[in-house]
Amino acid sequence: MKVMPNRMDRGFFMYQKEFEQKALEVLRSGWYVLGREVEAFEQEFAFYTGARYCVGLASGLDALWMAFRILGIGSGDEVIVQANTYIASVMGITINGATPVFVEPDEYFNIDADKIEEKITDRTKAVLVVHLYGQASNMQKIVQLCKKYDLRLVEDCAQSHGACFQGKMTGTFGDIGCFSFYPSKNLGGFGDGGAIVTADAQIAADMKVYRNYGSEKRYYNKVVGANSRLDELQAGLLRVRLAHMQELTKERRELAERYHERLCNSRIQLPGVRKQADSVWHQYVVRCEERQELIDYLNVHEIGTIIHYPIPPHLSEAYNYLGYQKGSFPVTEHLADTVLSIPMYNGMTKEEQDYVIEVINRF
Ligand SMILES: *Cc1c(COP(=O)(O)O)cnc(C)c1O
């Protein structure tokens, strides 16, 4: 049996009729950018997360860099972020000219809240929390720290749609929650898309102006903004998927639970879940000291895997200029050398999962 790391087609065929109907409806409407579908999606997604406002954007990266732009964080400012993240989190900071200050992760792959305080300087303006792999971070401690030092709090929720800490949804703890709807995300569209959520009416209003060339009224431009609009087709299709998010998340949790119960191999370490937090299992990430051997072995058995991520941002060529070397963040670097995401997707069959489990247990 062949099992791929992800199957986005499955997520489409689950609700094929609804998606196709919505696509035709939008195509026939004659209105394609910033319209009824976007407005409806913004309301529904705000309601889903428990935030007051949502603003649809063109991508998750746009959500991040525009968040820092609107908060006025740029050149000369420092933003604290975990070292083990997707590089987009860091680009959201550096596009504005601000400097990322990296912190090592805890045992749940999230920022180690106990190591934040030592990194705060008088240039620190914000903390960017990444709920990596769908696992909510230790928000209690982080919110306290941000209050104590008067720091802005931005959340990168590109992998955590629906994940909660103490029953509150990720994205609603700080000033701005940033989401991506890239097709492979838990709430994925059929192209690029993103959004911010916020409780602050001014931030929401500023973001709406900013995403549309800085204009509120057509051809009257208040600021030098961007073109970062969620289109009607994506918004309509995202509404279809959003209506099923509860069952989609439940399915991922059941898959993760089965992996947890049945995977058993002393060479492989399974992911843990923080108390009072939960995971929506964007990825199911195991650790293995002999990772290359495991990858090759799984390949022979036609099981695909992905490394999220093989090169931490501080060692990537793009960030040479920050001046870090190998050894700068040993915990992060060790994770980069040992993590492996095994197949996890909506629509995964019991047969596929049983096969993955059986093969991994024989490694
Ligand atoms: C996907 C992702 C992003 C970027 O989202 P795009 O929509 O691809 O721009 C940012 N941060 C994290 C953690 C992501 O996984």
Side-chain angles (χ1 to χ4, degrees), residues 58-64 84-90 92 128-133 156-161 178-185 191-195 282-283 308-309:
S59 76
L61 175 62
D62 281 359
L64 286 161
N84 64 319
T85 183
Y86 181 49
I87 202 159
S89 316
V90 183
L128 173 61
V129 170
V130 187
H131 306 291
L132 201 69
Y133 308 145
D156 182 340
C157 307
Q159 304 187 357
S160 72
H161 317 73
C178 303
F179 289 84
S180 164
F181 307 123
Y182 183 76
S184 67
K185 310 292 188 187
D192 279 305
H282 176 59
Q283 302 296 347
H308 297 102
Y309 300 90

Side-chain angles (χ1 to χ4, degrees), residues 306-319:
I306 305 182
I307 300 168
H308 297 102
Y309 300 90
I311 302 171
H314 73 277
L315 295 181
S316 88
E317 200 182 332
Y319 288 119

Side-chain angles (χ1 to χ4, degrees), residues 23-173:
L24 283 177
E25 190 188 316
V26 175
L27 291 176
R28 288 168 179 164
S29 75
W31 193 272
Y32 307 116
V33 172
L34 293 187
R36 275 205 330 244
E37 294 294 337
V38 171
E39 271 171 37
F41 174 75
E42 287 173 340
Q43 274 177 20
E44 289 160 11
F45 193 65
F47 181 78
Y48 173 76
T49 58
R52 195 160 302 160
Y53 306 99
C54 167
V55 180
L57 304 169
S59 76
L61 175 62
D62 281 359
L64 286 161
W65 76 258
M66 286 163 62
F68 289 111
R69 181 72 53 97
I70 277 172
L71 293 174
I73 294 168
S75 183
D77 299 332
E78 294 176 354
V79 177
I80 290 174
V81 63
Q82 69 200 63
N84 64 319
T85 183
Y86 181 49
I87 202 159
S89 316
V90 183
M91 288 188 180
I93 297 166
T94 58
I95 284 170
N96 292 293
T99 304
V101 174
F102 297 114
V103 173
E104 294 270 40
D106 61 16
E107 62 187 294
Y108 306 105
F109 306 117
N110 294 138
I111 192 165
D112 189 336
D114 293 326
K115 293 185 182 152
I116 293 176
E117 204 159 8
E118 64 201 55
K119 300 282 178 129
I120 296 175
T121 70
D122 43 2
R123 295 181 154 200
T124 310
K125 289 286 164 13
V127 175
L128 173 61
V129 170
V130 187
H131 306 291
L132 201 69
Y133 308 145
Q135 160 83 68
S137 308
N138 181 0
M139 296 314 290
Q140 188 170 14
K141 181 113 199 207
I142 295 164
V143 167
Q144 270 171 10
L145 276 175
C146 289
K147 281 214 177 99
K148 183 174 168 192
Y149 291 95
D150 196 21
L151 303 177
R152 298 293 205 156
L153 176 56
V154 179
E155 292 174 79
D156 182 340
C157 307
Q159 304 187 357
S160 72
H161 317 73
C164 293
F165 179 80
Q166 293 179 335
K168 189 172 152 78
M169 272 214 194
T170 52
T172 63
F173 286 87

